[in-house]
Amino acid sequence: MNDFTTPNQGSAHHGRAYRIGIDGLERLFDLVQQQYDEVFGPKVKDGAITLERLNRFAELPVGYHDEQRPGSYAIRQTNDGTLFHYAVGPHAVKRLLHPANRRLWRAEKTDAGWEVSADDGRPRPVALFGIRSCDVESIDILDEVFTGGDYVEPRYQLARQQLLLITASCPAPSAVCFCTSMGHGPRPRHYDINLTEIHTASEHFFVADAGTQRGQELLA
């Protein structure tokens, strides 16, 4: 793992960037998995690259590319070994931060009658690995809705405080992406760690830079 100092554009934190290979990226993944209850990232499922729970680094979509056009979506696998050369998939991060269904209480019938217990509603620490700029922008909107006004949704707030954002710059936006119309681009505006994949005929590595103190500590 080689490192070099560089300014971090788009973030208030100016940290150190690291040039890492596949082995170094796997070490980072393993470290994150040790510190967070769940890691979610891109995974091939049902013919698409979707946002799923990752149990192993090897579950990342190695060599996959996608083809997205109006009314059309397809993926194909190559032998180039890339990890992030596709546009965002069909799933959003909202379901992880604000699930559609949540248990508020439960009741159990006993010999003495009904016992009712409330769900404590405490979300577990979650890491997102390899999400894109548009995912981050959607989280910003959720932040504004659930924590930006007079009434704060406490469970969302806690989930958000515990959330680790490891993003990936998007090298291949699709024909139906909306970076420009939403005022952002292939590189996220903020993150804990951002990964930029460099793949040429002779080299394959990642530039990992920190956007927060938490990200810097992980990279160090």
Side-chain angles (χ1 to χ4, degrees), residues 60-129:
L60 289 167
V62 180
Y64 277 90
H65 298 245
D66 64 354
E67 298 176 358
Q68 298 191 41
R69 296 185 300 275
S72 174
Y73 177 93
I75 60 173
R76 57 184 176 86
Q77 188 174 22
T78 70
N79 60 0
D80 64 8
T82 57
L83 291 180
F84 302 116
H85 276 237
Y86 46 83
V88 67
H91 287 176
V93 300
K94 178 183 177 182
R95 65 188 175 92
L96 304 177
L97 293 171
H98 185 63
N101 298 292
R102 178 164 63 92
R103 187 175 67 201
L104 300 178
W105 55 272
R106 64 183 299 175
E108 183 177 1
K109 190 174 183 180
T110 67
D111 294 338
W114 287 95
E115 292 184 359
V116 179
S117 59
D119 183 73
D120 63 9
R122 293 185 61 84
R124 295 181 293 178
V126 168
L128 300 180
F129 195 96

Side-chain angles (χ1 to χ4, degrees), residues 5-205:
T5 302
T6 182
N8 184 342
Q9 301 295 330
S11 172
H13 183 87
H14 293 263
R16 173 170 291 176
Y18 296 80
R19 170 177 168 148
I20 60 178
I22 291 290
D23 291 343
L25 191 63
E26 185 170 3
R27 286 170 55 196
L28 175 62
F29 179 90
D30 292 342
L31 182 61
V32 169
Q33 196 171 47
Q34 292 169 17
Q35 297 187 16
Y36 288 81
D37 286 357
E38 294 180 304
V39 180
F40 287 85
K43 183 178 180 179
V44 175
K45 182 179 179 181
D46 299 330
I49 300 174
T50 66
L51 186 64
E52 303 290 340
R53 180 173 180 176
L54 299 177
N55 297 307
R56 297 177 296 112
F57 179 78
E59 292 178 327
L60 289 167
V62 180
Y64 277 90
H65 298 245
D66 64 354
E67 298 176 358
Q68 298 191 41
R69 296 185 300 275
S72 174
Y73 177 93
I75 60 173
R76 57 184 176 86
Q77 188 174 22
T78 70
N79 60 0
D80 64 8
T82 57
L83 291 180
F84 302 116
H85 276 237
Y86 46 83
V88 67
H91 287 176
V93 300
K94 178 183 177 182
R95 65 188 175 92
L96 304 177
L97 293 171
H98 185 63
N101 298 292
R102 178 164 63 92
R103 187 175 67 201
L104 300 178
W105 55 272
R106 64 183 299 175
E108 183 177 1
K109 190 174 183 180
T110 67
D111 294 338
W114 287 95
E115 292 184 359
V116 179
S117 59
D119 183 73
D120 63 9
R122 293 185 61 84
R124 295 181 293 178
V126 168
L128 300 180
F129 195 96
I131 65 170
R132 302 308 172 91
S133 175
C134 44
D135 293 316
V136 175
E137 296 296 319
S138 71
I139 293 174
D140 288 346
I141 295 174
L142 292 175
D143 288 349
E144 183 177 352
V145 172
F146 292 118
T147 65
D150 294 334
Y151 302 98
V152 174
E153 210 292 313
R155 191 177 189 280
Y156 176 88
Q157 185 181 48
L158 180 58
R160 185 68 178 88
Q161 289 170 346
Q162 298 179 133
L163 184 68
L164 180 73
L165 293 177
I166 298 183
T167 58
S169 297
C170 189
S174 78
V176 293
C177 283
F178 48 85
C179 291
T180 302
S181 63
M182 295 300 290
H184 60 95
R187 178 182 170 87
R189 291 191 287 191
H190 64 85
Y191 44 81
D192 291 299
I193 296 172
N194 184 63
L195 304 169
T196 301
E197 186 170 21
I198 308 298
H199 183 267
T200 68
S202 59
E203 292 186 298
H204 184 200
F205 63 91

